[in-house]
Amino acid sequence: MTMAGNLRKVTGLGRVGGLRRVARLARRRPRVDLSHPARSPLGSSVVNCVTYRDGVRAPRGGDLVDTVERVRKHGHGFVWLGLHEPTNDEFAGIAELFDLHPLAVEDAVEAHQRPKVERYGETLFAVFKTVCYVEHEELTATSEVVNTGEIMVFVGRDFVITVRHGRHGSLGPLREELESDTTQLAKGPSAVLHAIADHVVDDYLNVIDSVQEDIDQVETDVFAANGARADPGRIYQLKRELLELKRAVVPLGRPLLDLSDRPVRVIDPEIQAYFRDVSDHLLRATEQIAAFDELLNSILQAHLAQVTVAQNEDMRKITAWAAVIAVPTMVCGVYGMNFDHMPELHWRFGYPLVLGVISVACWVLYRGFRRNGWL
């Protein structure tokens, strides 16, 4: 029988044999000292572990096994365990205690997963891609605009386990905000899942607003007077970063619709209405990303058209000057043949006349090209 099964027997029926079995299993692995998270035997991956009853944080004490045992003994409340980039060894004891599916555990440890929501028995496993905007003074062809991470969430009847990957996306402020709304937090683990989803989607919208400023700047530079000289690498860089953002946002649409429409045991029916609101916000983010992609395509095409026009103008100028220079080249070529019997060679005014003819012909050509906009 699994560790979670033993815990259910102990907390539900109070059998001595079950309690001894739990103690034996607990002794075989490190126990989490919640009173000293910095010295946790599980390592630095344990960020926080808090028990909530009726939406209020319960006093902390004991290890993780004792905390879960007390929650299940009282029959209400839940445990919120937060982890940051745990290893397989660090997560093994927790997976056994909460009876987590091996496939979900593997996804949570390895990361680099596609946004999704999966059900494993009584446990819901959700993957969210977190994003943050990377500040930069000037957008270049190598600037990093969007940085991504991941948050994995295990939701059960009496527990929430969050596994975070990446340097951003801290859930500390979110925890404080939830604790200030005891009515919402009293609805159980599903309220935490909704808050995380809402937090992640709000970050999408904030990043999209910041990316829009970069796109506006690129658009302004492209359509400026010297827009043909703008660096097209910036446009390609924005498209690459927008693709990274798209991979985080778009796949989450279907899972959020499922959470808002399909009944799930661990999701409070009242919370499903909130998931519909999050799904609407995500749809707005998806539409904006699609619009940005089309806009960047248009900006790139406009820039290429400007480059083509600028090249045509340069070719016309080169052609016009070549025509002007061809006149003295032709005349001087004729008089450079050095024949003995050329009428103008021994004429006193031959040299000034030739220079005059050359100057007048060049001036006429220059005026003609200038009038037609070639020069």
Side-chain angles (χ1 to χ4, degrees):
M1 185 175 292
T2 63
M3 184 66 180
N6 287 329
L7 283 174
R8 284 194 291 270
K9 291 186 65 178
V10 171
T11 56
L13 301 177
R15 295 182 179 177
V16 177
L19 181 59
R20 290 175 180 172
R21 191 175 298 110
V22 171
R24 287 198 303 269
L25 290 173
R27 283 196 296 269
R28 291 206 303 263
R29 64 174 181 275
R31 295 162 70 87
V32 184
D33 183 2
L34 302 182
S35 60
H36 301 285
R39 298 195 300 270
S40 168
L42 285 182
S44 59
S45 65
V46 178
V47 177
N48 208 340
C49 182
V50 181
T51 302
Y52 296 97
R53 295 191 182 94
D54 299 324
V56 179
R57 179 195 286 252
R60 182 164 56 178
D63 57 31
L64 181 58
V65 176
D66 295 334
T67 301
V68 174
E69 186 178 339
R70 284 196 301 270
V71 168
R72 292 176 175 174
K73 181 178 180 180
H74 289 87
H76 66 280
F78 65 95
V79 177
W80 184 354
L81 176 63
L83 305 172
H84 180 255
E85 297 183 355
T87 63
N88 285 313
D89 294 337
E90 292 172 337
F91 202 60
I94 296 173
E96 184 180 7
L97 176 61
F98 291 100
D99 193 21
L100 304 179
H101 196 280
L103 292 177
V105 172
E106 181 181 356
D107 290 345
V109 174
E110 296 297 332
H112 304 294
Q113 302 298 318
R114 194 171 186 266
K116 60 183 178 179
V117 174
E118 296 178 340
R119 305 175 191 177
Y120 296 99
E122 298 292 329
T123 303
L124 196 69
F125 177 63
V127 178
F128 300 99
K129 281 279 190 180
T130 59
V131 299
C132 75
Y133 180 76
V134 181
E135 297 291 342
H136 45 267
E137 295 182 359
E138 182 181 359
L139 180 66
T140 65
T142 58
S143 296
E144 185 180 13
V145 179
V146 177
N147 190 12
T148 61
E150 291 178 51
I151 296 179
M152 285 78 167
V153 187
F154 295 88
V155 181
R157 179 177 54 86
D158 50 16
F159 68 88
V160 175
I161 302 174
T162 55
V163 182
R164 186 166 59 87
H165 291 267
R167 299 180 180 179
H168 65 278
S170 174
L171 298 177
L174 175 65
R175 186 189 293 269
E176 295 177 0
E177 183 179 349
L178 268 176
E179 290 178 354
S180 64
D181 188 358
T182 58
T183 303
Q184 185 76 355
L185 193 56
K187 295 177 182 178
S190 58
V192 178
L193 179 62
H194 161 261
I196 293 174
D198 187 53
H199 173 71
V200 169
V201 174
D202 285 345
D203 283 345
Y204 291 163
L205 295 175
N206 294 334
V207 170
I208 286 173
D209 291 339
S210 299
V211 171
Q212 183 175 8
E213 296 179 2
D214 286 332
I215 295 177
D216 291 342
Q217 182 61 48
V218 168
E219 184 178 18
T220 300
D221 294 342
V222 167
F223 289 100
N226 58 343
R229 300 183 181 273
D231 184 10
R234 298 194 303 166
I235 305 176
Y236 284 108
Q237 179 66 13
L238 274 178
K239 286 184 67 66
R240 285 195 296 266
E241 296 296 309
L242 195 65
L243 178 60
E244 188 74 15
L245 184 60
K246 184 177 181 180
R247 289 173 179 170
V249 175
V250 175
L252 191 58
R254 186 61 185 177
L256 284 181
L257 286 177
D258 292 340
L259 289 175
S260 61
D261 295 335
R262 297 182 179 180
V264 183
R265 289 184 181 181
V266 295
I267 302 297
D268 191 303
E270 296 182 10
I271 297 295
Q272 286 193 312
Y274 293 94
F275 277 114
R276 281 193 288 271
D277 180 66
V278 177
S279 180
D280 291 340
H281 292 172
L282 184 71
L283 180 60
R284 172 190 163 194
T286 303
E287 291 174 348
Q288 284 185 306
I289 290 175
F292 287 166
D293 194 31
E294 292 294 330
L295 180 59
L296 284 175
N297 286 335
S298 300
I299 293 174
L300 182 59
Q301 291 175 0
H303 175 69
L304 295 177
Q306 285 183 326
V307 171
T308 302
V309 171
Q311 290 177 343
N312 290 337
E313 291 180 354
D314 292 340
M315 288 302 299
R316 286 194 302 179
K317 290 180 180 179
I318 293 173
T319 303
W321 283 114
V324 172
I325 295 174
V327 172
T329 301
M330 179 188 66
V331 175
C332 294
V334 171
Y335 282 91
M337 290 186 292
N338 297 324
F339 289 117
D340 290 335
H341 302 286
M342 294 185 69
E344 296 86 0
L345 288 180
H346 303 286
W347 185 33
R348 177 181 298 181
F349 301 102
Y351 180 71
L353 179 63
V354 169
L355 291 180
V357 171
I358 292 176
S359 299
V360 171
C362 290
W363 182 81
V364 170
L365 288 174
Y366 176 81
R367 290 287 297 174
F369 288 130
R370 184 83 174 180
R371 188 181 302 112
N372 293 325
W374 283 49
L375 288 176

